[in-house]
Amino acid sequence: MLPLEGRLELVYEDRAGAWSVRRLQAHELKIGPGRVLVGGTDHDRDGYRAFRADRIHRLTDRDSGERVERNILDWLIRRAEATRRARAAALRKAAAHAVPPGGLPPGSFPPGSLPRAAARGPAGGPRGRAPRAA
């Protein structure tokens, strides 16, 4: 299974041979033995649905307007791979800024969160200057 994001419009043929236009908020591309399914929320049927990729006759990306009538499966796989790469990059970025398991070592603070008392110098004076003599 690969993540797949996007607002798609499908011209789809069901198992009985009836054609319909379906508006889908795509969530995943399921690749299994003998078939590939596009899963997501079908706005017209108000629920999760899965569509066989080999029964999609035309696909339109509703965000970009791109229309695909040939090599639909190839387009879906490329889109799912791009989604997977984008999610992996976002996870790496989030992990780089996360607190490690078990918290931070005693006395350390995440970058940019130095407590006010530590930002001041000795005896509460500005950092870098000695306190004034009375």
Side-chain angles (χ1 to χ4, degrees):
M1 182 168 61
L2 292 170
L4 179 66
E5 294 176 352
R7 296 179 328 128
L8 307 176
E9 182 178 281
L10 312 175
V11 175
Y12 187 74
E13 181 180 0
D14 67 16
R15 75 179 128 202
W19 288 38
S20 62
V21 175
R22 308 299 279 273
R23 292 180 310 126
L24 182 73
Q25 177 64 49
H27 300 298
E28 60 198 8
L29 187 65
K30 296 180 180 180
I31 302 173
R35 68 178 61 169
V36 176
L37 301 173
V38 178
T41 306
D42 184 336
H43 292 286
D44 299 322
R45 307 280 166 95
D46 198 29
Y48 180 89
R49 299 287 188 271
F51 299 93
R52 285 181 48 173
D54 62 331
R55 292 184 179 165
I56 299 172
H57 292 280
R58 185 178 69 224
L59 178 148
T60 305
D61 181 334
R62 294 175 55 212
D63 294 320
S64 70
E66 181 180 6
R67 190 170 168 168
V68 182
E69 295 183 23
R70 294 184 184 173
N71 303 320
I72 292 171
L73 179 57
D74 293 337
W75 186 92
L76 288 167
I77 290 171
R78 281 194 311 273
R79 178 68 169 263
E81 281 295 324
T83 301
R84 183 193 60 75
R85 283 191 305 272
R87 284 187 180 180
L91 285 173
R92 282 192 304 274
K93 183 177 180 182
H97 300 304
V99 174
L104 294 170
S108 65
F109 299 94
S113 67
L114 193 60
R116 289 187 180 268
R120 292 191 300 263
R127 180 177 267 184
R129 286 197 274 171
R132 285 188 184 165

